[in-house]
Structure formats: structure tokens, C-alpha cells
Amino acid sequence: DDVMHKIYDAALETFRANTVDIYMDCPSRERAGWLCDSYFMGKVEHFLTGESAVEDAYLENYRLHTGKGNLPEGILPECYPSDFEGNFIPQWNLWYILEVYEYLTQRNTKIDKELFRKSIYGILSFMKKYENGDGLLQNLPSWNFVEWSKANTWVQNVNYPTNFLYAQALECAAELYSDSNLQFKAEVLRCTVREKAFNGEVFLDHAVEGEAGQLH
């Protein structure tokens, strides 16, 4: 199929250009390895090569990150190694947990999962500080980012897609470390988001806090 071959070849060339020694975001524009992007690039590397050599090094960078810089305790840089001073993306930290889960269970099953425990539980400890009375993440700090669309103007006060992502991250951590408390928390969170966000036809993007403190 000539069309499929052209698509495959274009994807391969794109992967080559963006994977010299770490995963990169458009090297003609910036040479930076962003979390979340890496979740998808890790899948591609393993699909194309059957290995995870680049992802091994990429995740090791994050695992060995010392926490230096203007970042809260437990939070990983949005892109590393590169300029990570100042802003961070809370959602990208949650994507890190999803990537590590797939990496450990599908792509590099021989590596010791305990090497990642500190970074994963550090992220979850940070997120816990921003849970509201319903257990939903609310008013997360720094650069809240969901995607490059108008949807990203609706990230506060409670962003429901972010909370679904949080539930998935909790479940991934629960399965990796046999943590029944996190598993229960993930299930409750999913039920809460469905109850709050679904209006009978669609899921709403977010809820804002009124003067009385109630979300609507």
C-alpha cells in the first residue's frame, strides 16, 4: 500500500529527527525533552525498534533529578535536561506516572520498579495538597496545560480532564506498588468526576468557584 508506506516513512523520519540522544520537541525550534510528549514517543520507539534505549536514558534523567531549582518538593521539571527554572506543568507530572507504568510493565520489565517509587510518590504527595473537599484537584499552581486549543482556557478552578488524568495516575501507581489505598482513591475520584462533570449528554470541562465557595 503506497499510501501507508509514505505515512510510515514520514513517521520514521519524524522520529529520527526528534530522537538523537533524548526525545526532543522539534529540534529545529527547541532541543528539549518534554514529559507527556515522551509518553507517546516511548510507545513509538518500542514499536519501531523493539527496544527502549532512548527511553531508558530519558527516564533515568528524571529519576535521578535532585530537585534543585525553583520547583516545589516532589515536582519534576516540565522538560529536562534543559531550562526548567520557574514554571512547571502539573499535568505533565501525572503523564510521567502513566509513562513509567507502561515502561515498567510493557517495555522494560527487567528494571527494578523500586527505582521509580520516590519520584512517583513525590508527585502524588504534591497533588494531595490541592485536593478539595470532594477529593478533586483544584487551583493547581504554575502552568496548567491540557492542550493547544481553547480548552486550555478552562483549566481553573476544577478541570475535569485533569482529574480523570489524576485518577489514572493513582491507579497506575496502585498497580505498580500494590497500594490498595491508592486504588480505592482512584475509584472514588472517577465516581466523583462522573457525578460532577456529566450533565446527561456530555462531560463538562471545568467548574468555577462562586462567591459562596461552591463550584458550579
Side-chain angles (χ1 to χ4, degrees), residues 1-7:
D1 187 323
D2 290 339
V3 173
M4 292 301 292
H5 272 293
K6 289 178 180 178
I7 293 172

Side-chain angles (χ1 to χ4, degrees), residues 14 16 28 33-34 38 59 119 124 127 148 153 178 182 198 213:
T14 299
R16 277 184 181 143
S28 61
W34 292 78
S38 61
L59 290 178
S119 60
L124 295 180
M127 295 296 169
W148 290 112
T153 64
S178 302
L182 291 185
F198 191 62

Side-chain angles (χ1 to χ4, degrees), residues 12-30:
L12 185 60
E13 187 62 25
T14 299
F15 182 77
R16 277 184 181 143
N18 286 279
T19 316
V20 179
D21 52 359
I22 62 168
Y23 300 141
M24 293 179 286
D25 179 13
C26 307
S28 61
R29 186 187 71 180
E30 60 178 280

